[in-house]
Amino acid sequence: MNLINKIKKIIYKLLKKSEKWTKTDMIYLAKGGFWLTLGQGFSSLSAFLLAIAFANLLPKEVYGNYKYILSIAGILAIPTLSGMNTAIVQAVARGYEGSVIPALKTKIKWGLLGGISSLALALYYFLNDNTTLTISFLIISIFIPFMDSLSIYSSYLNGKKDFKNLSKYNIITTIISILIMLTVIFFSKNIFLIIASYFASNTILRLIFFKLTFNKNILNDKKDKNTISYGKHLSLMNVLNTVSFYLDKLLIFHFLGATELAVYSIAIAPSEQIKGLIKNVNILALPKFSSHKFGEIKKNLNSKIIKMIITLFIISATFIIFAPLLYKIFFPQYLEAVNLSRLFSISLILFGPIIILLSFFQSKEKKMILYQYNIIKPIIKIVLLAILVNFFGLIGVITATIISYLLELLFLFFRYYFLEAETQ
């Protein structure tokens, strides 16, 4: 026991000393970052195993159809007000826990529009004799209002900086849902069962952890009257952003086909999983930024961004070197995705600093800047995708993504620079 305490003290001292270089609260980062990284590590590993299963057990066309259906589902989920989650993190971090339940009710109420839209799509495909998509969207219509809405418990835990339980619940949800899907894929190639297993498992597990979270934590009565409004604002800002996020898959499916969509999905999978880890920065930074004034944050923000860029450059370069070996071992059916995957990894270098700057603007409720960003960014990406997919196929899609990330970063730096100048 004494040895363990000595090790803890040594680690504590090392972390404190490292703060001179990182300009960051390393104790907070180590405690929260450990659990978040552990959670995302399980999530990434599970997603990697699922991708291997899809790549080796399913025909490319079936996998392409599955990714197309999930992309449409992502757009149908827009009415569930994803921005409300960010608003709840910010509100809970400031002690307004009473905003959680009203926010949940608002999300479910608006989410019913997504369910109705899914039913309308099912009818459309039924009239066009497409049984696969008809049944798929009938299944999705049941879960759309609830699956994303129930995840609001994770926003509460994030706002409370309870990263241990947040990660623990996410790990359990990920492991169980992935195991269910792997079982379905192994014993059946039926796309309806695959889709049903994905939505049903995630919805039920989120309901369980929602109840568990709020049975353990009694919410106070403090409500911020601006939380619901702010959440709606953030959600409205994200509409075009969400469409642009899924547009690449929709365009590939319609112009190039399901098989090409499967290749593209496998090509971007490694970098997307790394981005999942990077998103932990937002989870850690948002409650921290929310409780600090601008002047305190700006002292070290620039150096943090530079160090993030250097770290991601090293990760991207390493992946580019080892990508061929990775695909030969795990995705032998998708060797045509290697060079596409290498090219897409460049986007990692830009993604990290974007997340840091967005966390800052969200924490300070800079609505005008966020509106500008969430309107300009998707429009640029949509235009680039529409042009480049026709001329260059999958390479065009990836190039459009990288260019849009670069323009995003330049815009955020520009707005941050002038915001910083205004405060001086």
Side-chain angles (χ1 to χ4, degrees):
M1 198 67 183
N2 290 330
L3 179 60
I4 293 174
N5 289 331
K6 286 181 180 179
I7 293 173
K8 285 182 178 179
K9 288 181 180 178
I10 292 171
I11 294 173
Y12 179 85
K13 289 179 180 179
L14 289 173
L15 289 171
K16 291 300 289 183
K17 286 183 179 180
S18 69
E19 289 179 358
K20 295 179 181 179
W21 184 77
T22 61
K23 306 299 182 183
T24 301
D25 185 347
M26 293 302 294
I27 305 301
Y28 169 77
L29 187 64
K31 288 180 179 178
F34 169 77
W35 289 108
L36 291 173
T37 302
L38 181 64
Q40 187 57 47
F42 270 96
S43 177
S44 297
L45 178 60
S46 300
F48 184 63
L49 292 174
L50 189 61
I52 293 173
F54 273 121
N56 293 283
L57 297 176
L58 291 180
K60 290 180 180 178
E61 187 173 355
V62 173
Y63 184 37
N65 276 303
Y66 169 78
K67 296 301 290 186
Y68 171 72
I69 292 166
L70 283 193
S71 297
I72 294 291
I75 294 174
L76 291 173
I78 287 174
T80 58
L81 305 176
S82 62
M84 197 68 72
N85 294 340
T86 301
I88 287 299
V89 173
Q90 204 253 11
V92 171
R94 293 183 292 115
Y96 296 102
E97 299 173 9
S99 300
V100 173
I101 300 303
L104 172 66
K105 292 178 180 178
T106 303
K107 283 170 70 67
I108 292 175
K109 180 177 70 175
W110 282 89
L112 292 172
L113 293 176
I116 294 169
S117 300
S118 188
L119 287 173
L121 264 181
L123 177 60
Y124 169 80
Y125 284 115
F126 173 75
L127 295 174
N128 285 274
D129 299 319
N130 191 323
T131 304
T132 299
L133 296 182
T134 298
I135 297 175
S136 296
F137 288 114
L138 281 174
I139 295 170
I140 289 169
S141 68
I142 300 169
F143 299 102
I144 281 288
F146 308 105
M147 189 176 84
D148 287 344
S149 299
L150 290 169
S151 68
I152 200 168
Y153 75 85
S154 62
S155 300
Y156 169 80
L157 293 173
N158 186 1
K160 297 293 287 184
K161 301 177 185 176
D162 186 358
F163 301 122
K164 180 178 180 179
N165 280 318
L166 172 61
S167 299
K168 185 168 67 174
Y169 296 161
N170 286 342
I171 288 171
I172 295 170
T173 299
T174 299
I175 291 175
I176 293 176
S177 62
I178 293 294
L179 284 175
I180 291 171
M181 289 190 69
L182 286 174
T183 302
V184 172
I185 293 169
F186 187 79
F187 289 104
S188 170
K189 307 297 185 288
N190 190 306
I191 193 169
F192 308 132
L193 291 177
I194 295 171
I195 290 169
S197 66
Y198 171 79
F199 282 95
S201 62
N202 278 284
T203 302
I204 293 170
L205 287 165
R206 288 176 183 180
L207 175 60
I208 291 170
F209 288 120
F210 174 86
K211 287 183 171 294
L212 184 61
T213 297
F214 295 113
N215 284 338
K216 285 184 175 180
N217 301 276
I218 306 302
L219 300 172
N220 63 36
D221 295 327
K222 292 180 65 178
K223 296 179 182 178
D224 183 351
K225 62 181 180 179
N226 295 318
T227 297
I228 303 298
S229 173
Y230 182 48
K232 288 179 178 178
H233 275 293
L234 290 176
S235 302
L236 182 60
M237 294 175 199
N238 281 329
V239 170
L240 277 175
N241 203 24
T242 302
V243 172
S244 72
F245 179 79
Y246 293 108
L247 185 64
D248 53 351
K249 300 169 187 69
L250 305 186
L251 289 175
I252 291 169
F253 184 86
H254 284 288
F255 288 106
L256 304 177
T259 299
E260 288 295 286
L261 178 54
V263 172
Y264 174 75
S265 299
I266 293 296
I268 68 173
S271 292
E272 287 297 321
Q273 292 309 312
I274 295 172
K275 286 177 184 177
L277 289 169
I278 298 171
K279 287 178 182 177
N280 287 339
V281 171
N282 178 267
I283 298 174
L284 286 165
L286 192 53
K288 197 74 172 177
F289 285 168
S290 297
S291 57
H292 286 73
K293 294 181 180 179
F294 177 76
E296 297 171 341
I297 298 170
K298 74 175 184 178
K299 291 178 182 178
N300 304 311
L301 196 62
N302 290 338
S303 64
K304 290 177 183 177
I305 290 172
I306 292 171
K307 288 162 188 171
M308 172 72 82
I309 291 172
I310 293 171
T311 301
L312 293 175
F313 176 83
I314 294 170
I315 292 172
S316 177
T318 303
F319 176 79
I320 288 171
I321 293 169
F322 291 102
L325 180 61
L326 174 70
Y327 276 81
K328 283 180 183 178
I329 295 172
F330 297 108
F331 307 108
Q333 306 297 323
Y334 286 85
L335 294 181
E336 65 268 47
V338 172
N339 288 331
L340 293 170
S341 188
R342 286 167 143 179
L343 178 62
F344 190 74
S345 70
I346 296 172
S347 66
L348 292 173
I349 303 168
L350 305 169
F351 184 75
I354 288 173
I355 290 295
I356 293 176
L357 289 168
L358 275 179
S359 299
F360 166 73
F361 288 127
Q362 288 170 351
S363 70
K364 299 307 167 191
E365 297 188 19
K366 299 298 179 181
K367 294 179 184 177
M368 183 57 66
I369 294 174
L370 292 171
Y371 262 119
Q372 291 170 351
Y373 170 77
N374 285 289
I375 290 173
I376 294 171
K377 169 203 168 182
I379 289 175
I380 291 172
K381 187 175 180 181
I382 289 168
V383 171
L384 287 171
L385 283 171
I387 295 171
L388 296 180
V389 70
N390 283 317
F391 288 101
F392 303 104
L394 295 183
I395 292 178
V397 174
I398 291 174
T399 302
T401 301
I402 293 172
I403 294 173
S404 67
Y405 273 158
L406 178 60
L407 295 175
E408 284 175 48
L409 185 55
L410 290 174
F411 170 80
L412 291 172
F413 265 130
F414 177 81
R415 296 300 283 122
Y416 171 74
Y417 174 79
F418 280 99
L419 183 67
E420 183 179 16
E422 290 169 8
T423 59
Q424 290 178 343

